[in-house]
Amino acid sequence: MAADKGQDKDMNMAGKVAVVTGAGRGIGREVALTLARRGVSVVVNDVGASLDGREEGESPAAEVVRLITEEGGQAVANRASVAEWESAASIVQQAIDSFGRIDYVVNNAGILRDKIFHHMDPADFEAVVKVHLFGSFYVSRAAAPHFRKQESGAFVHMTSTSGLIGSIGQANYASAKLGIVGLSRSLALEMSRFNVRSNCISPSAFSRMIESIPGASPEEQARNLEMRRSRTRPEQIAPVAAYLLSDAAKHISGQIIGVRGNELYLYSQPRPVRILQNSQGWDQQSLTEQVGEGWRSSFIPLERTRDVFPWQAQ
Ligand SMILES: NC(=O)c1ccc[n+]([C@@H]2O[C@H](COP(=O)([O-])OP(=O)(O)OC[C@H]3O[C@@H](n4cnc5c(N)ncnc54)[C@H](O)[C@@H]3O)[C@@H](O)[C@H]2O)c1
């Protein structure tokens, strides 16, 4: 493979080993291809799930492995589910068995089961949280002892504006995606003493997940989809993931970076914005005056992603 090793030594990832989950399609596929082009050996994991995760078909992982090996890179296919502890652990074990080590984990596998909240079945909530949040925990947890022992390693997890900002019909997905932010932050804090880093990407890229989002009219939907297809591509996410994994980003951990087309965003993380103390304690009247009215101008509006990003990606 004509190794694109980056310009400085910190971007040189040759000889490293990565697990990329959900790497048969969309963003994960591009991350796997990009890492392989930088000389990383990749476990290309994908269970081959339908968008809602209800069916498992032919895994697209083998095709990605074929592309990587055709270009001269190293990769193995894995079709275990991230959503159960034992099978998730077997993905990391395959990295050790095939390549002798593990350096990077990209938690990317995902499904969607959108439904308005008052109709959301517990099964739909559970399935989505299992793949995204539990899956990210399981794979990270399986890699952690190796990272600790070798005193190096990096995680990248995919979060979403659905959790960071808000969307309709995605209570399951938003809960999982904000949970992933907490998971990443905890990993960053707890594993920094082992030289291990953890960051989140909040991507926006045209994939079958995006195709499933309903538009106002068929014409508007077609127009929107075409715009997004051309301006927000999975291959625009991949270099950011590779950068965050590489030593060039050794000072970056516990962060959330948005990627949409050629635009990047550094997200804020919750901190108190107003503080009050009342030595008498709080009653209905003081709460009404000082919280209900006093803080009114600081309350975060009930915005959705499209209110915060009203412009098309550039
Ligand atoms: N595309 C976007 O704009 C966007 C926006 C926000 C967040 N994300 C996140 O980015 C990630 C990738 O999204 P995408 O758009 O490329 O989706 P995608 O549907 O194209 O790819 C996801 C892949 O995950 C696999 N998968 C599902 N369940 C699995 C399991 N249990 N074990 C292993 N693999 C499994 C699927 O088979 C699929 O190939 C997801 O975590 C998604 O939530 C994407």
Side-chain angles (χ1 to χ4, degrees):
M1 176 172 273
D4 161 16
K5 288 181 182 155
Q7 276 148 10
D8 68 60
K9 71 172 174 35
D10 287 340
M11 276 303 275
N12 184 358
M13 304 168 93
K16 304 283 190 188
V17 176
V19 161
V20 184
T21 70
R25 303 187 181 94
I27 297 167
R29 174 183 187 275
E30 295 305 320
V31 172
L33 290 168
T34 297
L35 291 176
R37 288 181 187 129
R38 296 199 180 169
V40 177
S41 303
V42 186
V43 176
V44 179
N45 160 262
D46 204 302
V47 81
S50 57
L51 182 62
D52 62 10
R54 284 198 171 85
E55 284 154 43
E56 288 177 19
E58 192 78 352
S59 170
E63 173 61 12
V64 177
V65 169
R66 193 189 60 74
L67 282 173
I68 290 174
T69 41
E70 229 173 57
E71 289 185 33
Q74 293 215 61
V76 288
N78 174 292
R79 56 168 314 166
S81 172
V82 298
E84 302 296 331
W85 166 238
E86 304 231 317
S87 68
S90 77
I91 306 171
V92 171
Q93 191 55 45
Q94 189 170 352
I96 307 296
D97 295 344
S98 307
F99 304 118
R101 57 183 294 119
I102 177 157
D103 300 283
Y104 309 134
V105 166
V106 181
N107 282 313
N108 168 84
I111 60 169
L112 282 182
R113 289 199 191 172
D114 294 1
K115 215 169 258 178
I116 202 78
F117 185 67
H118 55 272
H119 287 310
M120 186 170 281
D121 293 333
D124 292 332
F125 190 88
E126 198 172 314
V128 168
V129 173
K130 275 289 252 189
V131 173
H132 289 275
L133 181 56
F134 280 62
S136 298
F137 165 71
Y138 291 147
V139 179
S140 302
R141 175 64 185 79
H146 301 283
F147 285 3
R148 178 177 173 227
K149 196 160 161 221
Q150 73 203 19
E151 300 210 329
S152 69
F155 298 99
V156 164
H157 319 267
M158 297 300 164
T159 184
S160 168
T161 55
S162 178
L164 296 168
I165 299 172
S167 60
I168 302 289
Q170 294 196 313
N172 46 5
Y173 183 65
S175 305
K177 288 308 203 186
L178 214 45
I180 286 173
V181 171
L183 173 70
S184 176
R185 184 101 199 149
S186 302
L187 285 172
L189 284 168
E190 293 185 29
M191 298 203 74
S192 63
R193 64 196 169 123
F194 307 120
N195 198 27
V196 173
R197 299 178 300 102
S198 178
N199 290 290
C200 287
I201 290 180
S202 174
S204 180
F206 190 87
S207 74
R208 65 178 186 165
M209 278 202 186
I210 298 303
E211 266 177 304
S212 73
I213 297 172
S217 67
E219 297 74 31
E220 193 192 5
Q221 191 171 6
R223 228 182 8 257
N224 278 342
L225 287 183
E226 201 34 57
M227 181 93 77
R228 296 191 72 166
R229 191 195 301 277
S230 61
R231 290 201 186 169
T232 60
R233 301 185 307 277
E235 58 266 35
Q236 291 168 301
I237 313 294
V240 183
Y243 168 72
L244 287 173
L245 294 171
S246 78
D247 285 350
K250 57 183 169 230
H251 55 299
I252 305 179
S253 194
Q255 305 304 312
I256 308 163
I257 296 187
V259 190
R260 193 178 74 133
N262 290 323
E263 297 173 353
L264 297 181
Y265 319 95
L266 176 62
Y267 274 92
S268 62
Q269 297 185 37
R271 296 287 181 275
V273 289
R274 301 284 295 265
I275 299 174
L276 282 169
Q277 192 270 352
N278 185 342
S279 48
Q280 312 300 312
W282 295 94
D283 59 19
Q284 190 70 12
Q285 192 184 344
S286 55
L287 286 167
T288 302
E289 284 168 12
Q290 296 192 52
V291 174
E293 290 310 317
W295 281 357
R296 192 190 275 268
S297 62
S298 301
F299 290 138
I300 309 292
L302 275 180
E303 292 165 326
R304 296 156 70 172
T305 300
R306 66 181 185 206
D307 303 317
V308 175
F309 295 101
W311 69 96
Q312 295 289 348
Q314 299 303 308

